[in-house]
């Protein structure tokens, strides 16, 4: 019983990272294709201002996922990082390069430096979610098993690749939806229209990719496909589809908080549907939750520590998100500093 509870907590943490971190990855995706210095100046200005207050905090969810996985389900952790070592290593490198690029491109005084750091941030924002998605697809398709060995090309199959593309499309959709809402907050109607158009395109691409992935999963990941078409997995998949339609409708007008809510609903419900479709397995169809769980004492203490962490961290993170989305975390401008000197 305790193992099932910890497994649900792990799934919720994955969904939280997919939504929180995914929004930031999506912003980097749009930074990548914003165009040259002149054409992309205003979109990149909005991306910098929107991401600055919260981009680091979203990695809390990734750390949470890793801690729960290696403590609560050590066999799964070992197998996943053995079989999918290459895409996970590339994702880790991408996280480092992305953070360094975002942190260093703005203060860099040389144009060449800003371009280099900006390129590192933008390209990593595309590749990192792709490789995370590839690893998830390797789990869903049964290529990560309890007795599998390390492989360079275990990920190079239709379902893992489609999961990677789904991850990129999901982050692009989330990023565009949130940026459109931020544009309205910054009183930039042109950027609101700019990012709403891109959000609709990303949502359409996400829908098409989801259908194609289900087509491949029928033969390549039969256990997960069955779970997605029956029971709770089907219910959550339908909920994700409803959120998709709602998001599409909301993006036809000026963006507000509801478009962000439904966009998060699309991704969160899809992640939860995938997790529940795998029941009772951690690694379909070779390692169940009960078989992969750590000792009962370890799981009980992990549950206690997780509860304490949520009580201490969740209110702070929720407050940070609320302050950011309500425009309470705007940085000081040069005009603000000059005004302060004159008082």
């Amino acid at each position: 019983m305790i193992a099932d509870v910890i497994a649900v907590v792990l799934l919720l943490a994955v969904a939280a990272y997919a939504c929180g971190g995914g929004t930031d990855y999506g912003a980097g995706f749009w930074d990548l294709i914003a165009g040259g210095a002149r054409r992309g100046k205003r979109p990149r200005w909005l991306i910098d201002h929107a991401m600055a207050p919260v981009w680091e905090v979203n990695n809390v969810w990734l750390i949470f996922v890793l801690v729960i996985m290696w403590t609560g389900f050590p066999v799964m952790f070992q197998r996943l990082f053995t079989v999918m070592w290459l895409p996970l290593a590339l994702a880790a490198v991408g996280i480092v390069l992305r953070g360094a690029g975002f942190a260093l491109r703005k203060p860099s005084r040389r144009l060449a430096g800003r371009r280099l750091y900006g390129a590192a941030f933008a390209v990593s924002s595309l590749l990192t979610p792709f490789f995370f998605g590839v690893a998830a697809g390797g789990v869903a398709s049964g290529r990560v098993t309890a007795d599998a060995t390390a492989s360079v090309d275990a990920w190079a199959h239709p379902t893992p690749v489609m999961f990677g593309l789904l991850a990129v499309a999901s982050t692009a959709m989330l990023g565009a939806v949130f940026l459109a809402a931020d544009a309205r907050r910054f009183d930039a109607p042109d950027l609101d229209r700019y990012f709403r158009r891109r959000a609709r395109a990303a949502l359409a691409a996400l829908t098409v990719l989801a259908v194609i992935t289900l087509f491949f999963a029928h033969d390549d990941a039969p256990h997960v496909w069955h779970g997605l078409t029956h029971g709770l997995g089907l219910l959550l998949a339908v909920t994700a589809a409803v959120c998709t339609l709602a998001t599409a409708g909301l993006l036809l007008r000026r963006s507000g908080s509801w478009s962000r809510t439904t966009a998060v609903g699309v991704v969160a419900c899809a992640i939860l549907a995938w997790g529940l479709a795998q029941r009772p397995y951690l690694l379909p169809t070779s390692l169940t939750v009960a078989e992969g769980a750590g000792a009962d004492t370890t799981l009980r203490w992990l549950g206690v520590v997780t509860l304490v962490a949520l009580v201490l961290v969740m209110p702070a993170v929720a407050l940070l998100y609320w302050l950011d989305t309500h425009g309470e975390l705007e940085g000081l401008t040069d005009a603000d500093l000059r005004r302060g000197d004159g008082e």
Side-chain angles (χ1 to χ4, degrees):
M1 180 63 181
I2 184 65
D4 292 328
V5 172
I6 298 300
V8 170
V9 172
L10 175 61
L11 180 60
L12 291 173
V14 171
Y17 182 62
C19 294
T23 302
D24 284 347
Y25 288 127
F29 175 86
W30 296 117
D31 187 291
L32 177 65
I33 63 172
R38 183 174 181 180
R39 179 185 172 191
K41 181 178 180 180
R42 280 180 56 75
R44 292 191 177 103
W45 169 86
L46 179 63
I47 290 168
D48 282 343
H49 281 73
M51 283 185 58
V54 298
W55 70 278
E56 288 181 294
V57 75
N58 288 317
N59 284 323
V60 168
W61 301 116
L62 178 59
I63 296 170
F64 195 39
V65 168
L66 293 175
V67 170
I68 293 177
M69 193 184 300
W70 80 54
T71 306
F73 306 102
V75 177
M76 176 189 180
F77 182 86
Q78 180 191 22
R79 293 295 90 201
L80 177 61
F81 278 78
T82 297
V83 180
M84 290 290 161
W85 69 270
L86 181 57
L88 289 174
L90 292 173
V93 171
I95 290 174
V96 174
L97 292 178
R98 181 177 177 277
F102 184 75
L104 295 175
R105 74 170 177 174
K106 191 172 183 180
S108 179
R109 295 189 176 184
R110 292 188 175 184
L111 178 60
R114 289 197 299 272
R115 287 178 174 174
L116 175 63
Y117 296 133
F121 162 70
V123 173
S124 298
S125 295
L126 170 66
L127 296 180
T128 302
F130 174 77
F131 286 118
F132 274 138
V134 161
V139 172
S141 60
R143 289 182 170 83
V144 181
T145 63
D147 57 357
T149 58
S151 173
V152 175
D153 59 354
W155 60 273
H157 298 277
T159 299
V161 171
M162 290 307 303
F163 266 64
L165 295 176
L166 276 174
V168 173
S170 298
T171 60
M173 185 271 295
L174 284 171
V177 169
F178 274 72
L179 286 167
D182 284 326
R184 184 176 180 183
R185 175 161 57 88
F186 284 109
D187 194 23
D190 60 320
L191 290 178
D192 180 29
R193 293 189 296 271
Y194 175 93
F195 281 111
R196 277 193 290 121
R197 287 196 300 269
R198 281 151 181 78
R200 292 194 295 268
L203 191 63
L206 178 60
T207 303
V208 172
L209 287 171
V211 173
I212 296 174
T213 302
L214 282 174
F215 174 79
F216 281 118
H218 182 271
D219 295 322
D220 201 34
H223 181 81
V224 170
W225 183 87
H226 182 271
L228 288 172
T229 54
H230 296 80
L232 287 176
L234 175 60
L235 177 61
L236 284 165
V238 171
T239 305
V242 171
C243 289
T244 300
L245 293 174
T247 304
L250 290 168
L251 288 172
L252 294 176
R253 56 181 182 173
R254 295 189 68 187
S255 299
S257 59
W258 283 111
S259 61
R260 291 181 296 201
T261 302
T262 56
V264 167
V266 172
V267 177
C269 288
I271 296 290
L272 295 177
W274 160 54
L276 292 176
Q278 292 193 175
R279 293 182 304 166
Y281 295 101
L282 289 170
L283 302 176
T285 53
S286 63
L287 185 70
T288 65
V289 172
E291 293 169 345
D296 287 344
T297 302
T298 300
L299 293 177
R300 283 195 291 270
W301 277 109
L302 179 60
V304 172
V305 171
T306 298
L307 181 61
V308 172
L310 290 176
V311 170
L312 295 177
V313 175
M314 280 298 294
V317 173
L319 177 61
L320 176 65
Y321 285 153
W322 187 90
L323 291 173
D324 179 52
T325 55
H326 287 76
E328 300 294 333
L329 299 178
E330 301 302 325
L332 292 175
T333 65
D334 292 339
D336 293 326
L337 295 175
R338 286 195 295 270
R339 185 165 56 250
D341 291 338
E343 291 179 352

